[in-house]
Amino acid sequence: MTAVVWFILLALVVVLVRVSGYQSKWKVRQQLLDGACAVVLRSVQLAFAVHHSFQAWVQNSLTQAGLDMQELLQGDDTEAVLAKRQQLSDLLASLPQRPEHLAVILPEVKVRENEAIGNMLAGEVDDVEVLCAWGLLAKISHMSIYTRDDSLSRTFDSIAGRLRNSKMVARAFDGRTPNICLEAKAQVEHICAHSDSSQPDIHICLWSRDHGYPSIAKLAQELAREVQSGALSPTAITEACVANRLQDLRGCKHPELVLLLDDLPCMSEFPPWQLQNSELVQIGSGERSLGDAVFRALVRFAKIEMRWGK
């Protein structure tokens, strides 16, 4: 089909040149330029058509193949499940672009009873396990998981223990134990399959509102003390200075994709400077599972033209 279109366009250019034989050279050049522009525009249109057709195929493949997220990572490793898991991995690998850093905003849940609070915290441990498995399956090197009330930090030890012994995480990593760096405020846990490995397969940060506005207030206090002591000049406090001081201590880049798991478009005091280059995808509670939500977000991100804040 593409060859036929190119042949027709070339034939039109030749006809224009022959018809314009008695016209001035300037007009002939102008017509040739117009023809070339038409060829370029048509090529761009075809490229976009192919791109969107491919993305539609990827998005429909999950349903057509009958892949069940819960079965793929939680079920027994039968031959059928292993084949489907490999099929899903190939689908993710075929995406034109994937984020290096994915941030996930978990929905805010308000509870009153202590028993309900315990169930909520246990559910958040489950969520971190699923998100870690999906990060490994999609080969995402950095993931930040956000809850406004800092409940994830309170379950840090439980999360570390779950990830250390998780069969789901191992299945997502081809049956091997991955190297995971888990971080929350001052707590850092290295879950390593090999003691001599320093590079984690995935780095997971547990964020809360304390990483947002309180961090800005803390930085302002630090800068004021440094200026007062003479260690810092007021003129040195520039946008670049503030941005560098607010960066992740481990030097990770800002998230390219932020997944908001809530029916309401509310960022819940998510650290604002982390959103400067991010694409936001919101998926409500109607999604079947957390795995389905992550897959849909990755497919949407694959179709997005990154504008880097412009």
Side-chain angles (χ1 to χ4, degrees), residues 80-153:
V81 169
L82 289 174
K84 289 183 178 181
R85 192 182 301 157
Q86 183 60 47
Q87 185 177 2
L88 177 59
S89 179
D90 293 340
L91 280 174
L92 291 171
S94 68
L95 297 176
Q97 63 179 0
R98 282 169 292 170
E100 294 181 24
H101 184 179
L102 168 64
V104 181
I105 302 177
L106 296 178
E108 185 175 358
V109 180
K110 296 182 179 180
V111 295
R112 296 180 180 178
E113 300 296 335
N114 291 332
E115 182 179 356
I117 293 176
N119 293 336
M120 180 197 72
L121 295 178
E124 289 183 344
V125 174
D126 295 340
D127 291 342
V128 174
E129 180 185 18
V130 173
L131 289 171
C132 178
W134 268 92
L136 291 166
L137 194 64
K139 294 179 173 56
I140 296 172
S141 59
H142 199 110
M143 180 177 289
S144 299
I145 306 174
Y146 177 87
T147 54
R148 183 182 181 278
D149 59 359
D150 200 26
S151 56
L152 292 177
S153 294

Side-chain angles (χ1 to χ4, degrees), residues 201-219:
D201 297 299
I202 187 169
H203 184 176
I204 300 177
C205 291
L206 307 179
W207 284 354
S208 69
R209 73 173 300 274
D210 291 340
H211 292 82
Y213 295 117
S215 292
I216 298 176
K218 182 180 179 181
L219 176 59

Side-chain angles (χ1 to χ4, degrees), residues 2-132:
T2 304
V4 174
V5 173
W6 276 102
F7 177 78
I8 295 174
L9 291 173
L10 183 60
L12 290 175
V13 172
V14 173
V15 171
L16 286 174
V17 172
R18 302 189 70 175
V19 170
S20 306
Y22 299 101
Q23 298 180 6
S24 64
K25 292 182 178 180
W26 170 254
K27 290 185 178 180
V28 171
R29 291 177 182 175
Q30 185 64 38
Q31 289 173 349
L32 286 173
L33 180 61
D34 292 342
C37 290
V39 170
V40 172
L41 290 175
R42 183 57 182 167
S43 300
V44 172
Q45 291 175 351
L46 287 173
F48 273 106
V50 172
H51 174 73
H52 286 295
S53 297
F54 173 76
Q55 291 306 320
W57 171 80
V58 172
Q59 196 162 7
N60 292 332
S61 295
L62 185 68
T63 304
Q64 293 174 353
L67 301 180
D68 185 289
M69 303 303 179
Q70 187 171 359
E71 176 191 23
L72 291 181
L73 293 178
Q74 295 182 4
D76 296 331
D77 290 337
T78 63
E79 291 186 7
V81 169
L82 289 174
K84 289 183 178 181
R85 192 182 301 157
Q86 183 60 47
Q87 185 177 2
L88 177 59
S89 179
D90 293 340
L91 280 174
L92 291 171
S94 68
L95 297 176
Q97 63 179 0
R98 282 169 292 170
E100 294 181 24
H101 184 179
L102 168 64
V104 181
I105 302 177
L106 296 178
E108 185 175 358
V109 180
K110 296 182 179 180
V111 295
R112 296 180 180 178
E113 300 296 335
N114 291 332
E115 182 179 356
I117 293 176
N119 293 336
M120 180 197 72
L121 295 178
E124 289 183 344
V125 174
D126 295 340
D127 291 342
V128 174
E129 180 185 18
V130 173
L131 289 171
C132 178

